[in-house]
Amino acid sequence: MIRFEHVTKVLGNKTVLDRISFEVGEGETFVIVGLSGAGKSVTLKHMIRLMMPDDGSILIDGQEINRLRHSALQEVRGKFGVLFQSAALLQWMSVRDNIALPLRELTHTPEEEILRLVNEKLEMLGLADAGEKFPADISGGMRKRVGLARAIIMNPKIVLYDEPTSGLDPVTSRRIDDLIVNMRSQLGITSVVVTHDLHSALSIGTRIMMLHEGRIVENASPEDFIRSKNETVQSFLESQYITKKGKWEGMGHEKV
Amino acid sequence: MGAPVRSVERVGEKVLQSFHNTGHAMFMLFEGIWFIQFAFGKRSRRETATQMYITGIKSLAVITVVALFTGMILALQTGLELKRWGYEEFIGSAVAVTMIREMGPFMTGLIIAASVGSAIAAQLGTMTVSEEIAALEVMSINPNRFLVMPRLFALIVMMPILSVYTNILGIFGGAVVGTTQLGVSMQAYMDNATQFATNKDLYVGLFKAFIFGIIIATVACHQGFMTTEGAVGVGKATRRSVIISFLIILVVGYMVTRLFYI
Ligand SMILES: Nc1ncnc2c1ncn2[C@@H]1O[C@H](COP(=O)(O)OP(=O)(O)OP(=O)(O)O)[C@@H](O)[C@H]1O
Ligand SMILES: [Mg+2]
């Protein structure tokens, strides 16, 4: 579904992505982890051609996205819903109008239907009272959820989440995790999730990839990820108190 | 590589970059103009109306003061000179022709570039650094229709209107000075003012205002979209948008005058 082939990206004088290759299959929840500045957001941006690689290719459903013409690009982007790291809400529009924006601008959905869909999403994300507020007047965590509502309002096939739970309290974080899991199990949606939160990565991910200094240091199922021999991965796991003997021991097909 | 070679390279890079930027700005402008057909369509009319309101009404107070004083200063400076030779009755035409041909559109352009233009650059710059523009692109909402067109349209329509307003107030300011300081009667001032200012002067002045509107919108939107480096970048974009608009307004104002009066 999403395929990176030897993608290299230099920004300033830093090689942010160094010949990375990986594939996200249909229906997967693919989690990308890594330290701050590792290139996680840059990787996501390449998937929707907000950045173009200096070398290598990116295929979405078999199409090389960087060679597409305008209308074909729009079609490919239409498959995606994107939650940006900064939520990227329009400041002069209310929460409700922000979520309704794609429907109003891109479709001929009648206004009552739009309101119904928006209310449904507000309800689902625990934002029922926030509809008339403006992005500047709500908390960072709420903004994230509004961005998420906008990302999924058009029923995309693929959803990209850039740190969906950062800045959220643990209870709400788990709710977002559940939402991501449900989108996969009920709607078959493919997700790519960037996160710092390993607990959430291990519970929602079907595959976890770690980026470090422009390279992929690990790309494995959650069960194999926690057993990784790679030192960078191990210290990353230890930093969040996850050890092979801990809570995660029982999961997956463990070979004793 | 020697230092001279490297600095030549750097200059070359800068030149290439500025061609690239100009190309980008031109493309944005053409798309903005193209989308004006949708200015009052269902999706854009609210934003168009908002932008027209912001452009037209929000700067009115400043424009009023500046226009009045521009007319007063013009009348005082030229009036004192004319009075030495006993020609003070010509003060009306001196003020009217200068305002309509040159000072009206020019002063309006500077004020709008500094107020409305800088606000546009700051707003679009903030949107760029907070990924809002990227989000629009991913949703296939064209920023040139969604953001540029309403601002461009508002400036194109409002600049000539505001420029006429500036002219009227400037001429009125001149009349105040003429009657109180130079001893010219209101009647003589107005007769003289209307006698010498031609329709051509008015049209050329309006044409300038229209062109200045395009310049301000293009520079401000483009600088906004080019913003990098977070909040610091927004400040830089705002400042650059004002400076570049000023320079282009000066140069283009001169060229239009040359084109029509030589
Ligand atoms: N537009 C840009 N211009 C120049 N450098 C950039 C740009 N975007 C990102 N970078 C650099 O690329 C590197 C990777 O950035 P990226 O935003 O992908 O990090 P990240 O892994 O998402 O980190 P975080 O967890 O903090 O969000 C950083 O060193 C950053 O400074
Ligand atoms: Mg990031």
Side-chain angles (χ1 to χ4, degrees):
Chain A
M1 180 143 262
I2 303 172
R3 196 183 160 94
F4 275 50
E5 289 176 351
H6 310 292
V7 172
T8 298
K9 180 70 178 176
V10 181
L11 284 164
N13 47 19
K14 188 179 167 201
T15 307
V16 179
L17 302 180
D18 188 4
R19 282 167 288 152
I20 69 166
S21 305
F22 64 91
E23 184 162 7
V24 181
E26 185 156 4
E28 269 198 82
T29 298
F30 190 88
V31 181
I32 305 177
V33 297
L35 304 180
S36 202
K40 305 181 295 295
S41 299
V42 168
T43 306
L44 282 194
K45 282 178 186 162
H46 278 82
M47 295 178 184
I48 37 183
R49 203 166 120 179
L50 287 176
M51 285 189 176
M52 290 171 99
D54 295 311
D55 197 18
S57 48
I58 292 146
L59 297 120
I60 308 296
D61 285 337
Q63 294 189 77
E64 160 52 289
I65 190 173
N66 297 301
R67 286 208 220 100
L68 296 179
R69 297 167 148 277
H70 190 68
S71 59
L73 173 64
Q74 288 200 342
E75 202 174 300
V76 170
R77 280 178 172 169
K79 296 176 185 175
F80 285 88
V82 185
L83 167 61
F84 285 85
Q85 192 164 356
S86 57
L89 303 176
L90 303 182
Q91 299 298 314
W92 70 88
M93 284 187 181
S94 69
V95 162
R96 194 181 297 281
D97 289 343
N98 262 292
I99 300 173
L101 184 73
L103 287 170
R104 289 210 178 111
E105 293 290 326
L106 304 168
T107 71
H108 296 283
T109 316
E111 196 57 32
E112 312 89 74
E113 178 67 4
I114 292 181
L115 286 182
R116 194 185 65 74
L117 288 167
V118 171
N119 284 338
E120 184 187 295
K121 295 286 181 290
L122 285 172
E123 197 73 44
M124 187 167 103
L125 290 161
L127 291 164
D129 306 327
E132 312 313 320
K133 297 205 172 112
F134 284 83
D137 304 329
I138 58 180
S139 72
M142 285 166 92
R143 250 174 261 153
K144 268 271 157 71
R145 281 181 279 158
V146 178
L148 182 52
R150 186 181 66 183
I152 58 178
I153 192 98
M154 299 282 279
N155 300 321
K157 275 172 67 185
I158 312 170
V159 185
L160 310 183
Y161 306 83
D162 200 338
E163 303 192 9
T165 56
S166 72
L168 294 187
D169 60 86
V171 177
T172 317
S173 293
R174 294 295 83 84
R175 240 172 105 174
I176 301 288
D177 285 349
D178 289 344
L179 180 99
I180 297 174
V181 169
N182 285 344
M183 300 244 299
R184 175 177 124 77
S185 58
Q186 290 168 13
L187 304 169
I189 286 172
T190 308
S191 304
V192 181
V193 186
V194 166
T195 185
H196 287 288
D197 180 352
L198 256 176
H199 292 274
S200 123
L202 291 165
S203 61
I204 65 173
T206 54
R207 187 157 272 279
I208 301 175
M209 176 172 94
M210 179 160 179
L211 288 176
H212 188 68
E213 292 176 349
R215 304 268 183 144
I216 298 171
V217 292
E218 189 58 89
N219 180 355
S221 64
E223 306 86 79
D224 293 338
F225 190 84
I226 52 168
R227 285 186 197 80
S228 175
K229 297 273 184 301
N230 187 289
E231 273 176 35
T232 320
V233 177
Q234 280 178 357
S235 66
F236 192 66
L237 289 168
E238 276 156 25
S239 71
Q240 300 199 18
Y241 307 107
I242 294 172
T243 60
K244 279 172 262 185
K245 297 199 178 59
K247 180 185 160 197
W248 303 99
E249 193 177 36
M251 66 186 293
H253 7 264
E254 196 165 29
K255 294 184 205 100
V256 186
Chain B
M1 232 187 303
V5 178
R6 249 181 283 132
S7 57
V8 166
E9 247 182 16
R10 258 206 300 276
V11 171
E13 245 168 51
K14 278 257 162 69
V15 171
L16 280 182
Q17 187 62 41
S18 73
F19 276 129
H20 179 83
N21 286 348
T22 313
H24 182 275
M26 285 298 128
F27 178 75
M28 186 196 79
L29 172 61
F30 289 136
E31 271 211 341
I33 291 172
W34 165 254
F35 286 125
I36 283 179
Q37 57 184 310
F38 305 118
F40 290 100
K42 181 170 150 275
R43 291 186 175 128
S44 294
R45 61 176 169 232
R46 228 175 89 188
E47 182 66 4
T48 305
T50 310
Q51 290 304 324
M52 289 178 76
Y53 170 76
I54 292 174
T55 311
I57 311 294
K58 288 277 177 86
S59 315
L60 219 49
V62 196
I63 289 186
T64 305
V65 176
V66 173
L68 270 176
F69 275 91
T70 307
M72 288 164 67
I73 292 165
L74 270 175
L76 202 56
Q77 284 287 6
T78 42
L80 291 175
E81 211 53 32
L82 287 170
K83 196 167 181 164
R84 283 220 312 214
W85 309 94
Y87 287 129
E88 65 266 31
E89 74 266 28
F90 284 100
I91 188 64
S93 60
V95 173
V97 170
T98 318
M99 282 306 297
I100 293 171
R101 276 191 192 177
E102 205 63 61
M103 291 313 265
F106 182 68
M107 283 306 198
T108 316
L110 293 195
I111 294 165
I112 294 296
S115 56
V116 178
S118 65
I120 291 175
Q123 191 195 9
L124 300 194
T126 308
M127 291 184 70
T128 304
V129 298
S130 61
E131 300 178 311
E132 287 167 52
I133 305 293
L136 289 175
E137 271 172 22
V138 173
M139 293 188 276
S140 292
I141 297 172
N142 187 333
N144 293 344
R145 176 184 66 74
F146 191 71
L147 298 168
V148 175
M149 181 275 285
R151 288 162 177 77
L152 177 68
F153 181 77
L155 276 160
I156 286 178
V157 172
M158 285 303 171
M159 268 297 294
I161 296 175
L162 289 172
S163 175
V164 168
Y165 177 75
T166 307
N167 289 338
I168 293 170
L169 279 175
I171 292 168
F172 175 73
V176 171
V177 171
T179 49
T180 59
Q181 313 281 309
L182 303 164
V184 182
S185 78
M186 194 62 168
Q187 185 66 41
Y189 179 91
M190 281 305 167
D191 283 350
N192 190 267
T194 45
Q195 197 181 343
F196 283 89
T198 63
N199 278 345
K200 182 187 169 186
D201 293 333
L202 183 64
Y203 296 147
V204 173
L206 288 180
F207 178 66
K208 272 188 192 165
F210 168 80
I211 297 285
F212 292 169
I214 294 181
I215 293 169
I216 295 165
T218 311
V219 171
C221 292
H222 180 249
Q223 288 301 324
F225 287 151
M226 293 284 118
T227 306
T228 50
E229 320 164 38
V232 183
V234 174
K236 278 188 192 164
T238 310
R239 187 167 50 92
R240 262 207 304 267
S241 124
V242 174
I243 293 172
I244 296 174
S245 297
F246 274 22
L247 290 178
I248 301 182
I249 284 174
L250 271 170
V251 174
V252 170
Y254 171 80
M255 292 199 303
V256 173
T257 306
R258 259 197 71 136
L259 189 69
F260 285 99
Y261 290 102
I262 287 185

